[in-house]
Amino acid sequence: MIQKNEEERDAVSQKIYSYIGLAQKAGKLAAGEFLTEKAIKEGKAELILLAEEASANTRKKFIDSGTYYSVPVYLLGSKEKLGHAMGKEFRASAAVLDKGLAAAIMKQLAYLEHEDQRRR
């Protein structure tokens, strides 16, 4: 039972990273701190993704920006995984600019959060 849940979580995580790669290829992703911040302030960001290991200052800045501009913010994996999904090196932040892709990613993230709640 536990192994099946882990396999499901891995599959869902992989799907999320695939959506991030798709957004990058479609030109609907702002990656890196400067471009992410710019997309948020211009009202283009539909979703903010932060690496779990992002610095405290980076986390605070984007969580505050997300709250102010009403953009959902999620913590997701490592800088390496986030960057790799975009075909880049390390990235601590990204903004998804497409409403449909943002919704698809949030749906998968909600599934992961629901699984976390069931484990407690």
Side-chain angles (χ1 to χ4, degrees):
M1 178 82 177
I2 292 174
Q3 181 156 356
K4 184 175 183 195
N5 283 345
E6 287 300 318
E7 289 173 4
E8 284 180 30
R9 289 179 62 76
D10 289 345
V12 170
S13 293
Q14 188 56 46
K15 192 180 284 190
I16 292 168
Y17 290 119
S18 293
Y19 283 136
I20 293 169
L22 185 63
Q24 175 70 27
K25 288 178 186 168
K28 299 294 182 181
L29 191 75
E33 200 166 327
F34 177 76
L35 292 176
T36 301
E37 185 176 10
K38 184 176 180 217
I40 295 166
K41 289 181 178 177
E42 291 177 353
K44 295 178 181 177
E46 297 290 335
L47 172 66
I48 301 166
L49 298 170
L50 295 174
E52 290 174 353
E53 59 197 31
S55 72
N57 286 339
T58 299
R59 278 186 181 201
K60 181 177 177 0
K61 177 166 85 173
F62 286 117
I63 290 170
D64 290 350
S65 292
T67 302
Y68 183 79
Y69 290 96
S70 300
V71 180
V73 180
Y74 285 90
L75 296 176
L76 177 70
S78 67
K79 291 179 182 181
E80 185 178 4
K81 282 186 176 180
L82 191 57
H84 181 73
M86 304 171 207
K88 311 258 186 217
E89 285 280 326
F90 302 99
R91 292 293 183 271
S93 64
V96 180
L97 311 179
D98 181 79
K99 192 174 282 251
L101 284 168
I105 291 169
M106 285 188 289
K107 181 179 177 183
Q108 299 303 317
L109 288 165
Y111 173 81
L112 288 179
E113 286 181 357
H114 177 71
E115 284 295 308
D116 286 343
Q117 294 299 322
R118 285 188 8 202
R119 287 183 180 192
R120 293 181 185 168

